[in-house]
Amino acid sequence: MPSGNIHCAVQEGTLRCDVLNFTYARPPRPPGCALDWGGAVELGGKGAAALLCHGDTVADPRHPVLGYGRAWQGPGMACTAAQTGLRCTNADGRGFEMARARLRLF
C-alpha cells in the first residue's frame, strides 16, 4: 500500500499480508509461538483468515503498490485498498481488515 506499512504477497495460492507498525492490541499469543505475533495474516481461497506466528516478512520494496481506492483480485480472493486500511475477502466471504490501528478477522 502507498503508506509502506502494509505489504502482501501470494504464495502457493495463499495471500499473506503483514502490517509492519501497528497500534492495535495484539491478540493473545498462542502456546508455542516464540516468534513475531499479531502483525501477519494469511487467507486462502476458502475458509477463515488466520494470524501467523512468523519469523519473517513479505515486505519487499520491489513489489507493486496497490493504490488507495484500487482493488486486486487473485486466486479465489480480492482486496481493496483505502486510506483507512486494507480489506481482503475470499470466495466464502471470509477475510480480514488491516490497518495501523485495527485488525479484524471475519
Side-chain angles (χ1 to χ4, degrees):
M1 294 195 36
S3 70
N5 192 43
I6 296 176
H7 294 260
C8 300
V10 176
Q11 301 166 333
E12 299 178 16
T14 300
L15 174 68
R16 174 176 164 178
C17 293
D18 297 359
V19 59
L20 302 181
N21 297 296
F22 57 90
T23 59
Y24 56 81
R26 196 180 306 254
R29 184 181 300 272
C33 176
L35 300 172
D36 292 330
W37 174 252
V41 177
E42 71 176 359
L43 180 67
K46 294 187 179 271
L51 283 170
L52 297 175
C53 179
H54 62 98
D56 62 355
T57 182
V58 296
D60 185 337
R62 297 171 297 180
H63 287 166
V65 173
L66 181 63
Y68 298 133
R70 303 293 304 224
W72 169 86
Q73 194 160 3
M77 61 196 84
C79 296
T80 304
Q83 288 184 328
T84 55
L86 180 69
R87 178 182 171 88
C88 298
T89 57
N90 65 16
D92 290 339
R94 307 293 299 270
F96 63 91
E97 293 177 343
M98 175 181 273
R100 182 181 309 273
R102 178 181 80 259
L103 177 65
R104 183 175 82 90
L105 307 181
F106 55 89

